[in-house]
Amino acid sequence: MSPEGKHGQDKPGAEGRDDEWSECLVAIANSGDRAAFTRLFRHFAPLIRGFALAGSRLSANLADELVQEVMIKVWQKSAAYDPARAAASTWIYTIARNSRTDLFRRLQKFDTPLAAEDVAPDSGSEEPFEQVQQRRNGQRVRELLATLPVDQAQILAKVYMEGKSHAEAAAELDLPLGTVKSRVRLALQKLQLQMAS
Amino acid sequence: MAKHHPNLDFLTAHAAGSLPLAQAACVAAHLNYCRDCQRLVDGLQEVGAALFEQGVAEPVNERLLDTVLARLDEEPPLHFENVRPAPKAPPPILQRLMRGDFADLVWKKVTRTLSISYLRTGDPSHEFALYHIRAGGRIPLHAHRGDEITLVLQGGFSDADGDYHAGDFLFRQAGEESHAPTALQSEDCICLGVLDAPLRFTSWAHRWMNPFLHLRPG
Ligand SMILES: [Zn+2]
């Protein structure tokens, strides 16, 4: 029995759900399926709003603006989504992250020729072998995340969900910068994310 | 293949989208040379995605869905390009900032062997500049008042610590000791430098230049 088949039987949970969202994205790309878009919206819009409000740097109005912007981009860019390369949630997360970075820069009146997407484009590999690795990494990260000690999970949330620099996280948690850096590194080590030495 | 890489702190901040724009552009340029770092960044991005999908779902007003559905008709889909650069060409992020090639830029001559071209990123606290060092030429001995990232784009250089070639990413922090990079003899060297404070030349012959070395962010 193939590992995929076994996986499918044992764990219809997160993976199965993500297949549903991938299918929605493909349906939007292929036929402009508004029903699929609405399903996607009902699931992801509250998550995007939660992401926007994390770290309380955006007002409720700006959070709604971000939700609109991200969901419209999801609609417009759906043809660029490749289910072999990334989970639907990963793809939507990168759009939300880039849009939030752009919004922060607009609020700070940055005058820049670059969009966050130019600096951090979807990068997934075109090689099937690497794509399989990438999907496995994503799955493993999701499973291991639940095993992190609270202090490490808290720092990762500051770094990713709130988009804080290590120095900002240190100031907010009243910890030395070195402690923050080592907690982030320890957490990533547990998630098996390290530099190839 | 690059031998010197951004550290994990840089790559994590890049994946989380919190790196200052000029530094992020420099990391992005390194990723064009380095599959290992690109793969790691892809993995680090999965952490963000996992936290995002398990995050707090904040209720969204039903009218927002109607607004978005109405706007789907209004706006024509934008065109999103995904260019894969030719192997020898500068990384796409730099091509965008240069609006062309190295030869199209305005180069300011600093010494007989060193010219600088400033690029505008819009980052208000970092200078983003290209350094052109003639083959065998030397950058005057200098110390760092702030953080400095150097990315080799073409050719290579050496200093007391070793040799650096295209794709190598070097990070020096404020206060680290003076160094005097020298371009390799074989060809001209072009580097990208991102600074958050001006350099300070430490050799007597070049100290007169220090008052002129103001940071040029933006
Ligand atoms: Zn690298």
Side-chain angles (χ1 to χ4, degrees):
Chain A
M1 183 188 287
S2 75
E4 283 73 18
K6 184 165 183 293
H7 209 77
Q9 282 186 350
D10 286 354
K11 293 192 160 197
E15 181 101 330
R17 201 77 204 280
D18 199 76
D19 286 346
E20 182 187 338
W21 308 133
S22 295
E23 281 162 20
C24 285
L25 284 173
V26 171
I28 293 166
N30 289 345
S31 58
D33 187 333
R34 283 170 178 254
F37 179 79
T38 302
R39 282 208 299 285
L40 212 58
F41 186 98
R42 290 196 198 286
H43 180 74
F44 282 101
L47 293 176
I48 298 165
R49 198 159 188 274
F51 176 70
L53 293 171
S56 51
R57 280 202 278 188
L58 294 178
S59 65
N61 279 341
L62 286 171
D64 285 348
E65 198 179 294
L66 191 77
V67 170
Q68 281 197 47
E69 198 180 311
V70 173
M71 290 309 299
I72 287 168
K73 278 190 191 155
V74 165
W75 173 266
Q76 291 172 339
K77 293 185 65 176
S78 58
Y81 172 69
D82 177 355
R85 277 194 198 183
S89 58
T90 301
W91 188 75
I92 293 173
Y93 162 73
T94 57
I95 295 175
R97 177 202 61 194
N98 288 344
S99 302
R100 185 174 74 171
T101 304
D102 284 333
L103 179 57
F104 284 158
R105 289 188 182 138
R106 279 205 298 282
L107 295 173
Q108 291 168 50
K109 307 241 182 324
F110 263 49
D111 177 17
T112 173
L114 298 175
E117 187 183 56
D118 299 323
V119 179
D122 319 327
S123 51
S125 171
E126 277 163 15
E127 289 172 45
F129 175 74
E130 286 199 4
Q131 291 177 345
V132 172
Q133 287 295 111
Q134 186 59 28
R135 293 296 300 249
R136 282 204 189 124
N137 282 350
Q139 199 56 37
R140 192 192 58 220
V141 163
R142 283 162 175 80
E143 284 162 15
L144 292 175
L145 203 57
T147 68
L148 291 182
V150 177
D151 59 339
Q152 291 173 16
Q154 182 192 30
I155 296 247
L156 285 188
K158 280 243 175 268
V159 167
Y160 282 97
M161 291 300 280
E162 302 185 14
K164 301 278 163 68
S165 69
H166 290 16
E168 288 168 326
E172 286 179 22
L173 297 169
D174 200 17
L175 291 168
L177 180 58
T179 307
V180 166
K181 286 187 177 179
S182 67
R183 274 188 202 168
V184 172
R185 281 164 180 264
L186 274 174
L188 295 175
Q189 204 176 351
K190 293 216 177 90
L191 301 178
Q192 298 171 26
L193 292 165
Q194 290 172 83
M195 308 285 295
S197 52
Chain B
M1 205 56 179
K3 287 210 180 74
H4 299 266
H5 308 274
N7 64 29
L8 189 59
D9 301 342
F10 270 117
L11 295 179
T12 309
H14 185 66
S18 60
L19 215 50
L21 181 55
Q23 294 191 340
C26 198
V27 171
H30 171 77
L31 298 182
N32 277 100
Y33 296 92
C34 186
R35 288 295 308 158
D36 284 346
C37 284
Q38 180 63 69
R39 266 193 291 269
L40 182 52
V41 166
D42 289 345
L44 291 167
Q45 205 159 268
E46 294 290 348
V47 180
L51 290 164
F52 166 72
E53 73 187 40
Q54 297 166 15
V56 180
E58 291 282 349
V60 166
N61 193 312
E62 193 65 20
R63 276 183 317 220
L64 201 58
L65 173 59
D66 297 335
T67 310
V68 169
L69 286 171
R71 286 183 61 190
L72 298 181
D73 284 329
E74 282 169 25
E75 304 199 3
L78 298 172
H79 184 62
F80 291 93
E81 273 182 291
N82 233 340
V83 271
R84 296 253 158 196
K88 268 294 214 177
I93 185 88
L94 282 176
Q95 292 184 37
R96 284 206 56 153
L97 290 169
M98 298 193 294
R99 299 188 189 160
D101 205 356
F102 297 127
D104 305 323
L105 297 171
V106 179
W107 291 94
K108 246 185 84 158
K109 210 164 167 142
V110 180
T111 68
R112 205 170 46 76
T113 51
L114 171 67
S115 304
I116 301 184
S117 182
Y118 297 94
L119 298 181
R120 197 179 74 82
T121 63
D123 185 325
S125 54
H126 291 84
E127 178 184 288
F128 192 94
L130 298 176
Y131 297 74
H132 184 149
I133 321 164
R134 288 244 299 271
R138 172 177 283 245
I139 292 192
L141 192 68
H142 62 274
H144 300 102
R145 287 189 262 212
D147 292 345
E148 177 192 66
I149 297 174
T150 307
L151 179 72
V152 184
L153 300 170
Q154 191 179 298
F157 71 87
S158 61
D159 66 13
D161 299 326
D163 280 8
Y164 312 99
H165 301 273
D168 280 337
F169 182 105
L170 298 146
F171 177 55
R172 286 201 166 76
Q173 279 177 293
E176 280 186 44
E177 56 188 282
S178 304
H179 70 145
T182 303
L184 303 180
Q185 295 293 339
S186 48
E187 59 176 316
D188 288 6
C189 175
I190 300 178
C191 292
L192 165 64
V194 175
L195 296 176
D196 66 0
L199 296 179
R200 191 163 51 85
F201 288 116
T202 45
S203 74
W204 279 109
H206 292 101
R207 270 195 198 174
W208 61 271
M209 289 200 290
N210 287 334
F212 304 100
L213 293 170
H214 299 299
L215 193 70
R216 298 174 192 220

